[in-house]
Short mmCIF file of all heavy atoms in Angstrom, two decimals:
data_model
loop_
_atom_site.label_atom_id
_atom_site.label_comp_id
_atom_site.label_asym_id
_atom_site.label_seq_id
_atom_site.Cartn_x
_atom_site.Cartn_y
_atom_site.Cartn_z
N PRO A 88 185.67 84.77 55.35
CA PRO A 88 184.98 86.00 55.85
C PRO A 88 184.20 85.72 57.07
O PRO A 88 183.58 84.57 57.27
CB PRO A 88 184.04 86.35 54.65
CG PRO A 88 184.12 85.29 53.75
CD PRO A 88 185.19 84.35 54.08
N ARG A 89 184.01 86.64 57.95
CA ARG A 89 183.19 86.52 59.08
C ARG A 89 182.56 87.84 59.44
O ARG A 89 182.93 88.85 58.91
CB ARG A 89 184.15 86.05 60.24
CG ARG A 89 185.22 87.01 60.72
CD ARG A 89 185.87 86.47 61.96
NE ARG A 89 186.79 87.43 62.42
CZ ARG A 89 188.01 87.75 61.96
NH1 ARG A 89 188.47 87.09 60.95
NH2 ARG A 89 188.81 88.64 62.48
N PRO A 90 181.67 87.88 60.38
CA PRO A 90 181.02 89.14 60.83
C PRO A 90 182.10 90.01 61.36
O PRO A 90 183.02 89.60 62.08
CB PRO A 90 180.00 88.65 61.85
CG PRO A 90 179.75 87.26 61.64
CD PRO A 90 181.05 86.75 61.05
N LEU A 91 182.01 91.32 61.17
CA LEU A 91 182.86 92.31 61.66
C LEU A 91 182.15 93.27 62.54
O LEU A 91 180.93 93.55 62.28
CB LEU A 91 183.55 93.07 60.52
CG LEU A 91 184.44 92.31 59.60
CD1 LEU A 91 184.85 93.06 58.37
CD2 LEU A 91 185.63 91.73 60.31
N PRO A 92 182.76 93.86 63.48
CA PRO A 92 182.12 94.98 64.24
C PRO A 92 181.75 96.09 63.26
O PRO A 92 182.36 96.30 62.26
CB PRO A 92 183.15 95.50 65.20
CG PRO A 92 184.13 94.28 65.35
CD PRO A 92 184.17 93.60 64.01
N GLU A 93 180.62 96.74 63.58
CA GLU A 93 180.06 97.73 62.65
C GLU A 93 181.06 98.82 62.28
O GLU A 93 181.25 99.16 61.12
CB GLU A 93 178.82 98.42 63.24
CG GLU A 93 178.25 99.46 62.29
CD GLU A 93 176.92 100.10 62.80
OE1 GLU A 93 176.58 99.73 63.99
OE2 GLU A 93 176.27 100.79 62.11
N ALA A 94 181.87 99.38 63.14
CA ALA A 94 182.88 100.37 62.96
C ALA A 94 183.92 99.87 61.93
O ALA A 94 184.31 100.59 61.10
CB ALA A 94 183.49 100.88 64.22
N VAL A 95 184.38 98.62 62.08
CA VAL A 95 185.35 98.07 61.30
C VAL A 95 184.75 97.83 59.84
O VAL A 95 185.43 98.08 58.82
CB VAL A 95 185.97 96.69 61.83
CG1 VAL A 95 186.85 96.01 60.85
CG2 VAL A 95 186.57 96.98 63.13
N ASP A 96 183.60 97.33 59.78
CA ASP A 96 182.96 97.08 58.43
C ASP A 96 182.79 98.40 57.62
O ASP A 96 183.08 98.43 56.51
CB ASP A 96 181.53 96.44 58.73
CG ASP A 96 180.93 95.88 57.51
OD1 ASP A 96 181.62 95.47 56.53
OD2 ASP A 96 179.64 95.78 57.48
N VAL A 97 182.32 99.40 58.36
CA VAL A 97 182.11 100.67 57.70
C VAL A 97 183.45 101.25 57.27
O VAL A 97 183.67 101.78 56.09
CB VAL A 97 181.32 101.67 58.57
CG1 VAL A 97 181.39 103.14 57.98
CG2 VAL A 97 179.97 101.24 58.74
N ALA A 98 184.52 101.21 58.13
CA ALA A 98 185.78 101.75 57.83
C ALA A 98 186.36 101.00 56.62
O ALA A 98 186.93 101.65 55.70
CB ALA A 98 186.70 101.66 59.02
N ALA A 99 186.21 99.65 56.56
CA ALA A 99 186.82 98.86 55.49
C ALA A 99 186.13 99.33 54.12
O ALA A 99 186.83 99.55 53.15
CB ALA A 99 186.53 97.45 55.75
N TYR A 100 184.83 99.45 54.14
CA TYR A 100 184.15 99.86 52.94
C TYR A 100 184.59 101.24 52.53
O TYR A 100 184.89 101.53 51.41
CB TYR A 100 182.68 99.87 53.19
CG TYR A 100 181.87 100.35 52.00
CD1 TYR A 100 181.29 99.33 51.17
CD2 TYR A 100 181.55 101.65 51.81
CE1 TYR A 100 180.59 99.76 50.04
CE2 TYR A 100 180.80 102.06 50.68
CZ TYR A 100 180.28 101.10 49.83
OH TYR A 100 179.54 101.47 48.73
N ARG A 101 184.65 102.20 53.39
CA ARG A 101 185.10 103.57 53.07
C ARG A 101 186.45 103.65 52.64
O ARG A 101 186.85 104.46 51.68
CB ARG A 101 184.92 104.54 54.28
CG ARG A 101 183.44 104.70 54.68
CD ARG A 101 182.74 105.45 53.61
NE ARG A 101 181.36 105.87 54.03
CZ ARG A 101 180.34 106.04 53.27
NH1 ARG A 101 180.44 105.91 52.03
NH2 ARG A 101 179.18 106.38 53.80
N ILE A 102 187.38 102.84 53.18
CA ILE A 102 188.80 102.80 52.76
C ILE A 102 188.85 102.35 51.20
O ILE A 102 189.56 102.95 50.44
CB ILE A 102 189.63 101.96 53.61
CG1 ILE A 102 189.82 102.66 54.90
CG2 ILE A 102 191.02 101.61 53.05
CD1 ILE A 102 190.37 101.71 56.10
N ILE A 103 188.10 101.33 50.97
CA ILE A 103 188.12 100.83 49.54
C ILE A 103 187.45 101.85 48.61
O ILE A 103 187.96 102.14 47.58
CB ILE A 103 187.42 99.55 49.53
CG1 ILE A 103 188.21 98.41 50.27
CG2 ILE A 103 187.19 98.98 48.04
CD1 ILE A 103 187.44 97.17 50.49
N GLU A 104 186.38 102.51 49.07
CA GLU A 104 185.65 103.44 48.24
C GLU A 104 186.56 104.68 47.93
O GLU A 104 186.73 105.00 46.76
CB GLU A 104 184.39 103.94 48.97
CG GLU A 104 183.64 105.04 48.25
CD GLU A 104 182.41 105.51 49.12
OE1 GLU A 104 182.57 105.70 50.39
OE2 GLU A 104 181.30 105.50 48.50
N GLU A 105 187.24 105.18 48.96
CA GLU A 105 188.13 106.35 48.73
C GLU A 105 189.36 105.90 47.80
O GLU A 105 189.68 106.67 46.95
CB GLU A 105 188.63 106.85 50.02
CG GLU A 105 189.54 107.99 49.90
CD GLU A 105 188.92 109.25 49.31
OE1 GLU A 105 187.69 109.46 49.43
OE2 GLU A 105 189.77 110.12 48.72
N SER A 106 189.83 104.72 48.06
CA SER A 106 190.96 104.22 47.27
C SER A 106 190.67 104.11 45.85
O SER A 106 191.40 104.40 44.91
CB SER A 106 191.48 102.92 47.79
OG SER A 106 191.92 103.04 49.13
N LEU A 107 189.42 103.51 45.56
CA LEU A 107 188.93 103.39 44.05
C LEU A 107 188.69 104.75 43.54
O LEU A 107 189.02 104.96 42.35
CB LEU A 107 187.79 102.58 44.05
CG LEU A 107 187.91 101.04 44.35
CD1 LEU A 107 186.60 100.36 44.42
CD2 LEU A 107 188.81 100.40 43.32
N THR A 108 188.15 105.67 44.25
CA THR A 108 187.91 107.03 43.72
C THR A 108 189.29 107.70 43.41
O THR A 108 189.37 108.34 42.38
CB THR A 108 187.19 107.87 44.91
OG1 THR A 108 185.96 107.32 45.12
CG2 THR A 108 187.04 109.33 44.41
N ASN A 109 190.28 107.57 44.27
CA ASN A 109 191.58 108.13 43.90
C ASN A 109 192.24 107.50 42.77
O ASN A 109 192.87 108.17 41.93
CB ASN A 109 192.53 108.03 45.17
CG ASN A 109 192.17 108.97 46.24
OD1 ASN A 109 191.46 109.99 45.99
ND2 ASN A 109 192.64 108.76 47.43
N ALA A 110 192.03 106.18 42.65
CA ALA A 110 192.61 105.48 41.42
C ALA A 110 191.99 106.03 40.12
O ALA A 110 192.65 106.23 39.20
CB ALA A 110 192.46 104.02 41.60
N ARG A 111 190.65 106.20 40.21
CA ARG A 111 190.08 106.75 39.01
C ARG A 111 190.49 108.18 38.67
O ARG A 111 190.64 108.53 37.60
CB ARG A 111 188.52 106.74 39.23
CG ARG A 111 187.78 107.39 38.04
CD ARG A 111 186.29 107.32 38.23
NE ARG A 111 185.75 105.96 37.94
CZ ARG A 111 184.64 105.55 38.31
NH1 ARG A 111 183.78 106.23 38.97
NH2 ARG A 111 184.24 104.28 37.95
N ARG A 112 190.68 109.04 39.70
CA ARG A 112 191.09 110.32 39.58
C ARG A 112 192.51 110.51 39.12
O ARG A 112 192.88 111.27 38.30
CB ARG A 112 190.77 111.06 40.87
CG ARG A 112 191.12 112.60 40.81
CD ARG A 112 190.88 113.38 42.07
NE ARG A 112 189.46 113.20 42.46
CZ ARG A 112 189.05 112.79 43.63
NH1 ARG A 112 189.89 112.52 44.64
NH2 ARG A 112 187.73 112.70 43.89
N HIS A 113 193.43 109.74 39.84
CA HIS A 113 194.86 109.99 39.55
C HIS A 113 195.51 108.92 38.63
O HIS A 113 196.63 109.23 38.18
CB HIS A 113 195.54 109.95 40.93
CG HIS A 113 195.07 111.02 41.83
ND1 HIS A 113 195.28 112.35 41.66
CD2 HIS A 113 194.32 110.93 43.02
CE1 HIS A 113 194.71 113.05 42.62
NE2 HIS A 113 194.10 112.28 43.48
N ALA A 114 194.86 107.86 38.29
CA ALA A 114 195.26 106.91 37.43
C ALA A 114 194.28 106.34 36.49
O ALA A 114 193.95 105.16 36.45
CB ALA A 114 195.97 105.60 38.25
N PRO A 115 193.57 107.26 35.80
CA PRO A 115 192.45 106.87 35.01
C PRO A 115 192.89 105.80 33.97
O PRO A 115 193.86 105.86 33.30
CB PRO A 115 192.03 108.15 34.30
CG PRO A 115 193.17 109.10 34.34
CD PRO A 115 193.97 108.67 35.60
N GLY A 116 192.11 104.74 33.91
CA GLY A 116 192.27 103.63 32.97
C GLY A 116 193.32 102.56 33.45
O GLY A 116 193.41 101.57 32.86
N ALA A 117 194.03 102.93 34.48
CA ALA A 117 195.02 101.93 34.95
C ALA A 117 194.33 100.84 35.67
O ALA A 117 193.32 101.02 36.41
CB ALA A 117 196.05 102.67 35.82
N PRO A 118 194.81 99.58 35.50
CA PRO A 118 194.28 98.50 36.27
C PRO A 118 194.34 98.66 37.83
O PRO A 118 195.36 99.19 38.27
CB PRO A 118 195.08 97.24 35.91
CG PRO A 118 195.72 97.66 34.59
CD PRO A 118 195.90 99.13 34.72
N VAL A 119 193.34 98.20 38.55
CA VAL A 119 193.32 98.37 39.97
C VAL A 119 193.08 96.93 40.56
O VAL A 119 192.33 96.18 39.99
CB VAL A 119 192.23 99.34 40.44
CG1 VAL A 119 192.13 99.47 41.96
CG2 VAL A 119 192.41 100.72 39.77
N SER A 120 193.74 96.69 41.72
CA SER A 120 193.36 95.43 42.45
C SER A 120 193.04 95.71 43.89
O SER A 120 193.56 96.60 44.44
CB SER A 120 194.54 94.45 42.38
OG SER A 120 195.66 94.95 43.02
N VAL A 121 192.01 95.01 44.40
CA VAL A 121 191.56 95.16 45.75
C VAL A 121 191.79 93.81 46.36
O VAL A 121 191.36 92.77 45.82
CB VAL A 121 189.99 95.50 45.71
CG1 VAL A 121 189.51 95.60 47.17
CG2 VAL A 121 189.78 96.80 44.96
N ARG A 122 192.47 93.80 47.50
CA ARG A 122 192.70 92.51 48.23
C ARG A 122 192.12 92.69 49.69
O ARG A 122 192.58 93.66 50.34
CB ARG A 122 194.19 92.22 48.23
CG ARG A 122 194.73 91.99 46.79
CD ARG A 122 196.20 92.16 46.71
NE ARG A 122 196.84 90.95 47.28
CZ ARG A 122 198.15 90.89 47.35
NH1 ARG A 122 198.95 91.84 46.95
NH2 ARG A 122 198.72 89.79 47.91
N LEU A 123 191.39 91.74 50.06
CA LEU A 123 190.90 91.62 51.50
C LEU A 123 191.42 90.32 52.08
O LEU A 123 191.39 89.27 51.51
CB LEU A 123 189.42 91.59 51.51
CG LEU A 123 188.56 92.63 50.89
CD1 LEU A 123 187.08 92.35 50.91
CD2 LEU A 123 188.90 94.00 51.57
N ARG A 124 192.08 90.51 53.30
CA ARG A 124 192.57 89.25 54.02
C ARG A 124 191.99 89.27 55.40
O ARG A 124 192.34 90.16 56.15
CB ARG A 124 194.06 89.31 54.04
CG ARG A 124 194.68 87.91 54.52
CD ARG A 124 196.10 87.90 54.61
NE ARG A 124 196.65 88.75 55.66
CZ ARG A 124 197.54 89.70 55.46
NH1 ARG A 124 198.04 89.94 54.30
NH2 ARG A 124 197.92 90.38 56.49
N TYR A 125 191.25 88.25 55.65
CA TYR A 125 190.77 88.01 57.01
C TYR A 125 191.75 87.10 57.72
O TYR A 125 192.24 86.16 57.20
CB TYR A 125 189.36 87.36 57.02
CG TYR A 125 188.28 88.09 56.51
CD1 TYR A 125 187.96 88.31 55.21
CD2 TYR A 125 187.44 88.68 57.44
CE1 TYR A 125 186.98 89.00 54.72
CE2 TYR A 125 186.37 89.55 57.05
CZ TYR A 125 186.09 89.62 55.64
OH TYR A 125 184.99 90.38 55.16
N ASP A 126 192.05 87.41 58.96
CA ASP A 126 192.89 86.53 59.82
C ASP A 126 192.32 86.61 61.27
O ASP A 126 191.36 87.35 61.57
CB ASP A 126 194.44 86.87 59.77
CG ASP A 126 194.77 88.32 60.21
OD1 ASP A 126 194.03 88.87 61.05
OD2 ASP A 126 195.68 88.86 59.61
N ALA A 127 192.95 86.03 62.13
CA ALA A 127 192.48 85.95 63.60
C ALA A 127 192.44 87.31 64.23
O ALA A 127 191.59 87.58 65.08
CB ALA A 127 193.29 84.94 64.40
N ALA A 128 193.29 88.20 63.79
CA ALA A 128 193.36 89.52 64.45
C ALA A 128 192.52 90.62 63.78
O ALA A 128 192.20 91.54 64.48
CB ALA A 128 194.83 90.07 64.36
N GLY A 129 192.07 90.35 62.60
CA GLY A 129 191.24 91.35 61.90
C GLY A 129 191.22 91.20 60.39
O GLY A 129 191.17 90.12 59.87
#
Side-chain angles (χ1 to χ4, degrees):
R89 67 175 186 279
L91 298 171
E93 183 175 7
V95 174
D96 192 27
V97 170
Y100 181 92
R101 292 295 191 205
I102 289 166
I103 294 167
E104 180 181 47
E105 179 65 23
S106 299
L107 290 172
T108 298
N109 284 343
R111 178 178 281 163
R112 182 177 301 129
H113 301 290
V119 179
S120 64
V121 177
R122 298 163 72 184
L123 302 173
R124 186 180 74 235
Y125 289 83
D126 60 34

